[in-house]
């Protein structure tokens, strides 16, 4: 089984250094770092990197993670009914298949979609989100879809904190924010690091959601790395180049992971 | 919706707690007003989350569905009737079932075998191994799809159900191992030692003692893997070519096909049919999954 994962990765590394194409070219030759050089000079690639960063930071680190933690800690205090209802709704958003989620959010953000109706009702100006701010729309879509995971992780983590500790902090006169910062967060540090890692890497590899919503468009304004890679490899038949991009994507993921691993290691 | 008059700036209504009168408010009053605030925040969040889902439910039974969520004017089951055909619904769903079913079976067996030593023998390698697993769990699978495609072409596995199922299984495996180990840790070692004393091999102990004891855990891993694969779009999208093998996640695109002429009602109806198994299965395991999510415990070593 591990071969099934490791094999492709090894093969991946090899292809990335060749000029393999899908156009039926029998021979592929070794071209060294050519693909990578092409990538860094390619405006489309640079654009994809920026968009990927925006998408990841906004929707995973800021969005899913923070919102998940907020929901989980609110759930600690809320009444049972509300907790159950909210949990069910948020989790449904996560369980629904990726492509379906894409459609739902596509309908939500369209010019004549639900979001604009709500804004209209609040007397705020609406706009064609998928055209003006496509990357923002897909980021929100990803938050909508992925928050449940963080919520579950943090709920599990928060329920493991012994009551005595939080109570002791309250007796010592720590207010809400101070309690969060000095007691709760250090207690669940491990979960935070793990969750961030899982979230970030999952977000890096989101394809179906964006594909269903925008196809990376309009133009290339929501084309994150996975979509860019797909386009290069299958639309332009540059399998080698696409793979080089894939390798860079793996590297980005690995970098993020290493940072979180370090977070896990530092014992306070 | 009673929350409609609320905007974010207004303080939550409720028993106005007099501030600065006496040394401190009673703990009971403070608690209940805090609970109310938490409830309101959660309800607002729930409302935001439910809007896109509402569109799905409403438009699937609306004869004249657009893109805005609104209660249907003209309730009808026509949309469901229209999509309940072999080509649109049944074959793709069956394909999904075959694909995800076999992949899930592979995943669960492999995960059980891998989790057993991890859970039972504490070696110095365990923690790094678990971290590696966690790491591979989330490696952008998307990134290796292009080379996997190339590899599949070379070894003639492209456009085969079996190859695709295998790959799906291996992509889901790390997380499954990890969940499995968490559940396995909950089975007391004593029982196993008793089995060994009675002359069972460790394999027998695993199959006869541990797995039955962690039955619920196995169910959770199975269902969870299945749900994740059920929704997976990219893998079959890349590895399957012929239309009659397409699982629902890919065939749905045919419905959606041309952005201009989408029959939203039918699309919504199909989406519901396609999502229902995943949601129902999740409801089945929801109570037990919580235990598997204790991420802190996963890396305590």
């Amino acid at each position: 089984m591990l071969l099934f994962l490791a094999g492709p990765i090894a093969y991946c590394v090899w292809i990335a250094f060749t000029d393999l194409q899908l156009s039926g070219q029998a021979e592929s030759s070794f071209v060294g770092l050519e693909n990578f050089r092409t990538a860094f000079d390619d405006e489309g690639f640079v654009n994809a990197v920026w968009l990927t960063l925006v998408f990841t930071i906004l929707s995973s680190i800021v969005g899913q993670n923070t919102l998940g933690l907020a929901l989980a800690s609110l759930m600690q205090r809320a009444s049972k009914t509300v907790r159950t209802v909210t949990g069910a709704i948020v989790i449904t958003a996560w369980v629904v298949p990726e492509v379906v989620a894409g459609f739902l959010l596509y309908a939500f953000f369209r010019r004549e979609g639900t979001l604009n109706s709500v804004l209209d009702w609040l007397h705020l100006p609406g706009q064609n989100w998928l055209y003006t701010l496509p990357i923002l729309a897909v980021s929100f879509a990803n938050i909508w879809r992925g928050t449940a995971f963080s919520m579950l992780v943090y709920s599990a983590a928060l329920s493991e904190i012994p009551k005595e500790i939080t109570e002791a902090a309250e007796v010592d006169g720590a207010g809400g924010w101070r309690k969060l910062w000095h007691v709760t967060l250090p207690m669940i540090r491990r979960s935070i690091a793990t969750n961030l890692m899982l979230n970030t890497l999952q977000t890096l590899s989101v394809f179906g959601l964006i594909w269903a919503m925008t196809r990376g468009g309009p133009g290339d304004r929501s084309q994150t790395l996975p979509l860019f890679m797909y386009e290069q490899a299958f639309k332009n038949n540059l399998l080698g180049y696409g793979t080089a991009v894939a390798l860079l994507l793996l590297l980005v993921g690995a970098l993020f992971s290493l940072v979180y691993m370090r977070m896990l290691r530092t014992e306070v | 919706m009673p929350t409609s008059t609320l905007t974010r700036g207004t303080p939550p209504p409720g028993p106005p707690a007099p501030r600065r009168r006496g040394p401190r408010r009673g703990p009971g009053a403070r608690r209940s007003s805090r609970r109310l605030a938490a409830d309101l925040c959660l309800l607002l969040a729930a409302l935001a989350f439910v809007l896109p889902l509402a569109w799905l439910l409403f438009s699937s039974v609306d004869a004249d569905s657009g893109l805005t969520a609104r209660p249907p004017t003209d309730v009808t089951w026509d949309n469901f009737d229209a999509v309940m055909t072999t080509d649109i619904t049944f074959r793709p769903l069956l394909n999904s079932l075959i694909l995800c079913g076999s992949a899930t079976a592979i995943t669960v067996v492999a995960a059980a075998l891998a989790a057993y030593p991890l859970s039972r023998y504490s070696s110095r390698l365990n923690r790094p191994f678990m971290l590696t697993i966690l790491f591979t769990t989330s490696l952008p699978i998307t990134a290796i799809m292009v080379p996997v495609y190339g590899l599949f072409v070379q070894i003639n596995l492209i456009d085969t159900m079996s190859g695709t199922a295998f790959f799906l299984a291996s992509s889901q495996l790390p997380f499954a191992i990890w969940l499995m180990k968490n559940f396995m840790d909950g089975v007391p070692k004593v029982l196993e030692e008793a089995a060994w004393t009675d002359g069972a091999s460790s394999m027998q102990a695993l199959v006869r003692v541990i797995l039955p004891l962690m039955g619920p855990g196995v169910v959770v891993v199975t269902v969870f893997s299945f749900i994740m694969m059920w929704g997976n779009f990219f893998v079959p999208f890349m590895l399957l070519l012929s239309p009659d093998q397409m699982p629902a996640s890919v065939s749905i695109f045919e419905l959606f096909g041309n952005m201009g002429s989408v029959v939203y009602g039918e699309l919504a109806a199909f989406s519901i049919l396609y999502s229902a198994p995943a949601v129902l299965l999740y409801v089945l395991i929801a109570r037990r999954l919580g235990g598997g999510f204790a991420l802190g415990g996963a890396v305590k070593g």
Side-chain angles (χ1 to χ4, degrees):
Chain A
M1 287 308 276
L2 285 177
L3 277 181
F4 246 83
L5 272 179
I9 293 178
Y11 184 69
C12 174
V13 175
W14 164 245
I15 298 189
F17 290 95
T18 68
D19 60 358
L20 184 69
Q21 295 191 4
L22 274 184
S23 50
Q25 193 186 5
E27 293 286 304
S28 60
S29 57
F30 185 79
V31 292
L33 290 172
E34 198 52 46
N35 283 324
F36 296 94
R37 213 169 292 132
T38 319
F40 287 110
D41 291 341
D42 185 345
E43 273 180 28
F45 174 77
V46 176
N47 167 58
V49 171
W50 278 116
L51 287 176
T52 307
L53 282 176
V54 169
F55 181 65
T56 307
I57 290 172
L58 192 71
S59 71
S60 154
I61 301 176
V62 178
Q64 293 182 10
N65 192 39
T66 315
L67 189 59
L69 182 58
L71 288 176
S73 54
L74 283 169
M75 280 182 171
Q76 297 260 299
R77 294 209 296 259
S79 62
K80 196 166 177 344
T81 330
V82 174
R83 196 165 51 214
T84 318
V85 170
T86 311
I89 290 170
V90 175
I91 287 171
T92 308
W94 178 52
V95 173
V96 163
E98 190 176 23
V99 183
V100 175
F103 290 143
L104 292 188
L105 274 300
Y106 167 81
F108 183 73
F109 280 110
R110 286 277 305 205
R111 180 181 284 286
E112 57 274 21
T114 310
L115 177 65
N116 282 346
S117 321
V118 173
L119 288 177
D120 194 43
W121 184 71
L122 294 170
H123 299 293
L124 293 168
Q127 53 177 310
N128 189 351
W129 302 99
L130 288 172
Y131 185 76
T132 48
L133 292 163
I135 192 69
L136 205 63
V138 291
S139 298
F140 270 104
N142 194 40
I143 293 174
W144 184 80
R145 186 158 182 267
T147 299
F149 185 80
S150 305
M151 186 180 80
L152 288 169
V153 170
Y154 287 134
S155 287
L158 290 174
S159 63
E160 282 183 3
I161 297 180
K163 270 246 182 301
E164 298 81 36
I165 296 186
T166 42
E167 274 166 9
E170 275 179 47
V171 171
D172 291 343
W177 288 114
R178 280 186 60 194
K179 201 170 63 187
L180 177 76
W181 191 249
H182 290 292
V183 181
T184 314
L185 289 184
M187 295 281 298
I188 59 170
R189 195 169 41 88
R190 277 183 183 292
S191 301
I192 295 178
T194 320
N195 181 49
L196 271 176
M197 181 172 119
L198 290 170
N199 258 343
T200 308
L201 295 177
Q202 261 161 12
T203 301
L204 276 181
S205 62
V206 168
F207 179 90
L209 191 69
I210 304 180
W211 185 254
M213 278 177 78
T214 65
R215 303 268 158 119
D220 58 0
R221 284 187 303 140
S222 61
Q223 192 178 46
T224 54
L225 275 173
L227 281 98
F228 178 75
M229 176 192 87
Y230 175 81
E231 185 178 54
Q232 294 305 330
F234 291 93
K235 292 240 171 71
N236 306 343
N237 289 335
L238 301 167
L239 207 56
Y241 183 42
T243 311
V245 173
L247 207 60
L248 289 166
L249 181 62
L250 277 176
L251 275 178
V252 173
L255 273 178
F256 269 113
S257 287
L258 284 175
V259 171
Y260 298 138
M261 292 274 184
R262 289 224 70 98
M263 271 173 66
L264 275 174
R265 273 235 300 275
T266 48
E267 291 298 339
V268 177
Chain B
M1 277 282 170
T3 47
S4 56
T5 51
L6 274 178
T7 51
R8 240 181 300 177
T10 54
R19 292 192 83 102
R20 300 266 167 263
R21 235 182 48 194
R24 199 174 262 196
R25 282 176 285 152
R30 184 146 157 251
R31 181 145 301 189
S32 71
S33 76
R34 265 176 47 182
R35 164 179 297 187
L36 202 71
D39 281 0
L40 283 168
C41 291
L42 281 182
L43 281 176
L44 269 178
L47 186 68
F49 270 85
V50 87
L51 278 175
L53 289 168
W55 171 78
L56 182 70
L57 295 176
F58 288 151
S59 48
S60 69
V61 291
D62 194 340
D64 168 35
S65 54
L67 282 165
T68 304
R70 46 163 198 185
T73 38
D74 176 5
V75 176
T76 162
W77 294 108
D78 288 358
N79 292 324
F80 283 95
D81 284 338
V83 294
M84 289 280 227
T85 63
T86 311
D87 279 341
I88 297 181
T89 299
F90 299 122
R91 191 181 319 125
L93 285 182
L94 185 68
N95 285 341
S96 284
L97 192 65
I98 296 170
L99 195 65
C100 303
S102 47
T104 305
I106 299 170
T107 304
V108 171
V109 172
L113 292 177
Y116 182 57
L118 280 175
S119 165
R120 289 304 175 221
Y121 305 111
S122 44
S123 71
R124 291 221 335 268
L125 287 175
N126 266 6
R127 193 154 174 267
F129 194 81
M130 279 320 272
L131 280 176
T132 315
I133 285 189
L134 210 55
F135 182 70
T136 42
T137 300
S138 41
L139 270 186
I141 285 289
T142 319
I144 63 171
M145 280 321 292
V146 173
V148 166
Y149 176 87
L151 187 72
F152 270 42
V153 171
Q154 306 249 335
I155 55 179
N156 270 334
L157 272 176
I158 201 82
D159 202 22
T160 57
M161 281 278 202
S162 51
T164 310
F166 249 102
F167 185 75
L168 260 181
S170 48
S171 67
Q172 190 58 43
L173 190 63
F175 197 67
I177 292 179
W178 189 61
L179 271 179
M180 195 73 107
K181 175 188 175 289
N182 274 0
F183 284 117
M184 228 179 243
D185 288 346
V187 176
K189 249 187 126 143
V190 183
L191 295 163
E192 216 175 325
E193 281 157 3
W196 289 338
T197 318
D198 294 339
S201 66
S202 45
M203 204 58 213
Q204 276 174 310
L206 173 66
V207 175
R208 296 261 176 92
V209 180
I210 301 177
L211 289 180
L213 278 170
M214 50 178 282
V218 177
V219 172
V220 169
V221 176
T222 309
V223 172
F224 190 80
S225 308
F226 187 83
I227 292 176
M228 286 293 127
M229 293 176 196
W230 187 256
N232 193 317
F233 159 77
F234 201 43
V235 174
F237 179 64
M238 294 282 261
L239 299 183
L240 293 172
L241 308 172
S242 45
D244 59 333
Q245 293 201 12
M246 288 298 176
S249 56
V250 183
S251 73
I252 195 169
F253 264 84
E254 319 239 317
L255 268 181
F256 198 54
N258 313 315
M259 294 266 184
S261 60
V262 187
V263 191
Y264 286 104
E266 290 183 18
L267 185 66
F270 180 69
S271 297
I272 288 183
L273 290 174
Y274 167 46
S275 311
V279 175
L280 291 176
L281 281 170
Y282 186 86
V283 170
L284 200 82
I285 58 160
R287 292 192 173 284
R288 303 214 164 254
L289 192 63
F293 268 94
L295 281 174
V299 283
K300 272 178 192 156

